Amino acid sequence: MDLRLSQEQEMIRDGVTRFVRDDYEFATRRIGAVSDLGFREEVWQQFADLGWLGAALPEEYGGFGGSAIETMILMEAFGRGLVLEPYLWSVVLGGALLQQGATSAHKEQVLPEISSGKARIAFAFAEPGSRFNLAHIGMTAKKDGDGYRLNGNKTVVYYAASAEYLIGSARLGGAKTDREGIALFLLPSDAKGITRRDYATQDDQRASEIIFKDVQVDAAALFKCGDDALPVIENAIDVATAAICADAVGAMGALREMTLEYLKTRKQFGRAIGEFQVLQHRMAEMFILEEEARSMALRAALMLDAPAPARKKAVSAAKSLIARAGRQIGQEAVQMHGGMGMTHELSVGHYFKRLTMIGSMFGDGDFHRKRFAAL
Amino acid sequence: MDLRLSQEQEMIRDGVTRFVRDDYEFATRRIGAVSDLGFREEVWQQFADLGWLGAALPEEYGGFGGSAIETMILMEAFGRGLVLEPYLWSVVLGGALLQQGATSAHKEQVLPEISSGKARIAFAFAEPGSRFNLAHIGMTAKKDGDGYRLNGNKTVVYYAASAEYLIGSARLGGAKTDREGIALFLLPSDAKGITRRDYATQDDQRASEIIFKDVQVDAAALFKCGDDALPVIENAIDVATAAICADAVGAMGALREMTLEYLKTRKQFGRAIGEFQVLQHRMAEMFILEEEARSMALRAALMLDAPAPARKKAVSAAKSLIARAGRQIGQEAVQMHGGMGMTHELSVGHYFKRLTMIGSMFGDGDFHRKRFAAL
Amino acid sequence: MDINDSVEGAKFRTEVREFVAANLPADIKRKVDGGLRLEKDDYVRWQRVLFDKGWIAPGWPTEFGGTGWEPLQRHIFEEECALGSAPAVISFGVNMVAPVIIEFGNDAQKEKYLPRILSSEDWWCQGYSEPGSGSDLASLQCKAVRDGDDYIVTGQKTWTTLAQYADMIFCLVRTDNSGKKQQGISFLLIDMKSPGITVRPIRTFDGSAEINEVHLEDVRVPVENLVGEEHMGWTYAKFLLGHERVGIAQVARSKKQMQRLKMIANTELVDGEPLLSQPEFAAKIADVEIGLIALEMTELRILSDESAGKAPGPESSILKIRGTEIQQGITELLIEAIGYDAHPWVPAAAIDGRNEPPIGSDYAASIAPHYFNWRKASIYGGSNEIQKNIIAKMVLGL
Amino acid sequence: MDINDSVEGAKFRTEVREFVAANLPADIKRKVDGGLRLEKDDYVRWQRVLFDKGWIAPGWPTEFGGTGWEPLQRHIFEEECALGSAPAVISFGVNMVAPVIIEFGNDAQKEKYLPRILSSEDWWCQGYSEPGSGSDLASLQCKAVRDGDDYIVTGQKTWTTLAQYADMIFCLVRTDNSGKKQQGISFLLIDMKSPGITVRPIRTFDGSAEINEVHLEDVRVPVENLVGEEHMGWTYAKFLLGHERVGIAQVARSKKQMQRLKMIANTELVDGEPLLSQPEFAAKIADVEIGLIALEMTELRILSDESAGKAPGPESSILKIRGTEIQQGITELLIEAIGYDAHPWVPAAAIDGRNEPPIGSDYAASIAPHYFNWRKASIYGGSNEIQKNIIAKMVLGL
């Protein structure tokens, strides 16, 4: 048991903390939020140059061979700044899928492009009506000559519009929620037959509805199938869930700090409202929730390499607690800011919205509590 | 819609409130609590003399023809004083069973004895493993000559030792949890073949485990069977549940008042602890919970005459809320009393125990929430 | 006691129900049912329907246009309007400034303003909060200085709901600074078209723009627009806060939302089964629903006391606290119910008659913004913290 | 980073586990597993086993008999003792007064008391709280007046846990009244056999008698029993409060109780199905279990910081708050699990070797009293309200 950061990890932490504090203020962030892309390409390149895109990727593919802890450190800082750049989607989730599931040809081709910032990946896994069941896949992949023909709908595909590659889950056979018969395909995002409807999300991120209509891909596009595909998906989503837990912890920390600051400066009835004991105790509870969330995000990251049942249990425990803590901290932060907390101008509401969206991402609190209890 | 008490009801309320305040102090109550019977026979006679035993019983059987509101008024006052006398069990529950289910011979015989204080009834409905399912009946009633032979075990039969009559639910046929095949028997509590193990409960009340071994009863002892028996049981238990909700409201009111008083007098850090805003807000929440509980107990009482689904829904809504409110109010009252709240000497802990036991009586909060949602 | 409507009550209920069904314009009903945005014209149209019927101001004395209904009858009216999908009557005129004018205004003010409030000719807004004074309302700074027959008003009001539509604003202003902060406050009626008034929208984080800053710079207000006595405004403000109990709990509107929640939870599937049949989710719905039943019964108890002549008391803080907790609880379950469909931000979907197909189910688009927006409910109108202070002090004597 | 035991850690864990399995007397294990009452002799026997092994005082410096273990190693030790059903080591001697004597006591005190604490020859109790001073500890009134080589102590202590077994009491007493209330407090070691000491049991509402009033009337205490400097006792008391973090969260004992809860919920049936398989109940268990995991990980983070040399800080208030909430949460679910079987009050069932058959299941009798008794957890040892004040002030700077 050793819970200390290595020196290299501390350097990354200091660097990314400084970046978010100095170069990613709320007003600066807005430039990305209102842009076509939804984030700033130059910031993405900066991430590449600073080595962050490759921090947790294997050295043989241009990365630095870091672990889930590097991802956690980066994600917590990104959460703290409500960073818009799709690190979670392209590097963490896309990276995990490729590392676990892809052929070496795919890995050699795509991973270096990811870590260098040349390309991004989006993963189309959710479908209308699928809710949080990853095996609920109606998209079909039919053998067609040497390749496959894909047909189906995917919903809320995060950062598809800015990705060069799409990974899609499709069904070679079996019924809609069977654990078998699933395959993963890697294809260029502009493949013929793909139609996207792009939109912003509640928390200033970007996503798309995607229709696959007779999309032709060659045999090499299939990178995982049979009994192996769903475990690869589940593993990658767990990796991403652990990362978004760290994201949430960063957002909670920022919210708690700004609320604390507000309590110390806002005056009512002739004194700082932070002198009111009710608000003191509620702040104490917020602080405890944040520390619990931090503990759980750390634990989830550390358990990602454990056997699947232990990994799933740790990730679900973390996500369940963090969904609840995020909601409570968000609601309390808005409430304690009073009317100011309701404004679009202050960042409080934006953190609140982000925590709300994280709450249901990859499964909400009830879903993960149930998965936890069943294991 | 009219939620005002009648003049007669206000008189009953004033009388019983005065009685509990003046003649049923915590120290006086103790005399009954440590006695063999578990309560005071002379107090029971006083109830009879004051007309309370017959307040909600029909005039034709020696009662005063009152409604569930009279019962509610009495029970709330009894709850306020942690009254030990088995009004709930004998008059409310026993009375409801007889009124709804019994033959006129039974009614004419027993109800006047109840309202005059000459006799008491206990209802043996729970069995080992039955939890809160009233249809879970393993006790058997076998036809035997002109009568029946009863065999089985009943658990936690409240105030059986001080009752002259027992009503028992038994099975004429069908499987253990069938809604059909159930019968109710009225028999003398000293019938041959009955063995009791008596004990005190956590909250100073009395109950017994009862074994029925080849208990012979004549045909007239059966007073309800077929498809009708379970609805009669359910109705009577709903009547009793509404009454115990009022009981809980009285206990909550007493607890809230004594906690408020403690907050106003106990000094720490140089001031009354009631000046601490955290305790003020928590007291406000206690007060709201109490008022919600009061509203729900009233509503349950008023809905007892509604058709069964509406009646069940109202009673379950009330019991579910009151189980939760009782737990929270009890825990908060002990907590705000600090170490003093833990002592056997103060009454706080006794109210806490009473509210805990009420919490699971006739079904706990989860049970009733589920019944509510299913209707 | 009787929990059921009396014969007359039941008759009245039917009358209101049929009236709403027959007279509520279909496009307004569609917007209310779908959680779509209501425009000024929608509110005014419905209010004029009620005005024509004589039902716009049930709380007023009959001599000024009230209905003379008992509190419990008003409760039936409110319930049937809400269940019939009518929009709420905007409170600022009918339920807020009018009772103050009726109680403390002079005859000229009554003659001038009350008819225009009844007919919805004037849209009123409320000038109470200021940037520096939120929960501590009495610390307000907006200044009114006497100059001949006018006051000259300078200051800033904020969180002014729907000020963009308003013809008139009722303002608390400071006319004296020498005593306790509660003293020296006056209650002024100000024409929103007066020179020196600027309204600036405040966008809230859910994306809507229903609140505003109102800047007043040397605004001339005739002395005849002073309500009651100078410096006595705090008394009138407190009267207003404690006045209105019918409807504060918003029981009927929450019932309506509860129906919607159940409909949606019955439509959303979890592995092929309705979400509503999942015990954990059903339990959460039941908890809120039971809370709503308790709230309604508590409101009825209070209204029953009121019918029996008991004066309004601080117990109504219970209605505000639980009412908003339940409203917020329902929005929370709604956003939970729809999973990923809550993520897309589609502002156009709030507008009736949009052309685009929805993303996800057709009820999804308004749910997340509604959840966000409704966080205001426990902040505005006396925050729930202030309500608990009131209970602790006024009811419990702490 | 690594969440798993190191190679040495795993070896040590096995060593402790095997030691407990081999050396914990079977009757003590049976009582702990069954939630039965432990007698003084039970505690002492197990403490002597640990003493013989050299493991009784892991937190002490090695020169006085400590083990020299790292905080994480101590955590393993605590966990394996609890999971192996060993009773807790009574804190008052080993973990409370001893660290104060070691840090602030003189050599004579160290030589006299520490060996007797190690060997369980002396049973200590804590004389802090008084009837008038609960959360406001510094307002204590118990008075010590210097008279020659003695102090004469007069006053009353209360909530004194297991004082009926005690040979010695460490007391905070007032030696000066002139300054701030935190000043003028001294820390005295008092022989419980001294004339003038009376112990009166306080029965708690769960029926147990583990706490006491200790009355001191003109009790002569030699000046050599003063720890450190006169009037400086508050400093030592604060040292004590902030000192001990290993084990404060009671994670391992809660894990053990959680196992018991699941076993019982798997045994209790609802219409033929295990209660554990009811989604609503399973959800409540899962919530507490997830909270327990978070608590353990938070404790490990704090201990890891401590191993890295970071001084103990007020964050340990988190461990106290959540630790007791979880313990109480488990007792609450236990009483829920057994339904009507919680109702019978069978005091004899708490005693090992009783003859009567149980009422209901054999695990039922202790569950309700345990739920009642455990309400103390959030009151004693610095109430959870005080812990939140500490977090607000010391951690958040409010």
Side-chain angles (χ1 to χ4, degrees), chain B residues 1-5 260 264 277 281 285 287-289 291-292 294-296 298-299 302 317 369 372, chain C residues 1-4 6 283 286-287 289-290 293-294 297-298 301 304 318 322 385 388-389 395-397:
Chain B
M1 159 91 49
D2 179 8
L3 301 181
R4 282 166 299 181
L5 296 183
L260 193 52
K264 287 177 182 173
Q277 197 194 22
H281 278 211
E285 181 64 27
F287 172 74
I288 297 175
L289 286 169
E291 286 303 317
E292 286 184 298
R294 183 165 285 114
S295 295
M296 291 305 256
L298 172 60
R299 189 169 175 276
L302 289 169
R369 182 173 58 196
F372 168 85
Chain C
M1 283 204 192
D2 193 350
I3 196 167
N4 301 305
S6 62
D287 275 338
E289 201 176 0
I290 290 169
I293 291 171
M297 196 66 196
T298 304
R301 283 173 54 218
S304 189
I318 297 179
R322 281 296 195 260
E385 287 78 14
K388 286 194 182 168
N389 286 347
V395 184
L396 303 174

Side-chain angles (χ1 to χ4, degrees), chain A residues 295-317:
Chain A
S295 295
M296 291 304 257
L298 172 61
R299 188 167 175 277
L302 288 168
M303 295 288 282
L304 285 176
D305 293 332
R311 180 200 76 217
K312 291 180 181 180
K313 209 166 161 92
V315 168
S316 282

Side-chain angles (χ1 to χ4, degrees), chain A residues 1-2 281 285 291 295 369, chain D residues 2 4 298 301 322 389:
Chain A
M1 162 87 55
D2 179 8
H281 277 211
E285 181 62 28
E291 287 302 318
S295 295
R369 182 174 58 195
Chain D
D2 193 350
N4 301 304
T298 304
R301 283 173 53 216
R322 281 294 194 262
N389 286 347

Side-chain angles (χ1 to χ4, degrees), chain A residues 1-5 260 264 277 281 285 287-289 291-292 294-296 298-299 302 317 369 372, chain D residues 1-4 6 283 286-287 289-290 293-294 297-298 300-301 304 318 322 385 389 395-397:
Chain A
M1 162 87 55
D2 179 8
L3 301 182
R4 282 167 299 184
L5 297 182
L260 193 53
K264 288 177 181 173
Q277 197 194 22
H281 277 211
E285 181 62 28
F287 172 74
I288 297 174
L289 285 169
E291 287 302 318
E292 286 184 297
R294 183 165 283 113
S295 295
M296 291 304 257
L298 172 61
R299 188 167 175 277
L302 288 168
R369 182 174 58 195
F372 169 85
Chain D
M1 285 208 188
D2 193 350
I3 196 169
N4 301 304
S6 62
D287 274 338
E289 200 176 2
I290 289 169
I293 292 171
M297 195 66 196
T298 304
L300 289 171
R301 283 173 53 216
S304 189
I318 298 179
R322 281 294 194 262
E385 287 78 12
N389 286 347
V395 183
L396 303 175

Side-chain angles (χ1 to χ4, degrees), chain A residues 186-208:
Chain A
L186 175 75
L187 62 167
S189 59
D190 57 0
K192 196 160 162 268
I194 290 181
T195 322
R196 282 195 337 262
R197 182 172 169 200
D198 303 331
Y199 48 81
T201 61
Q202 304 289 348
D203 53 347
D204 287 333
Q205 306 220 347
R206 297 302 161 97
S208 307

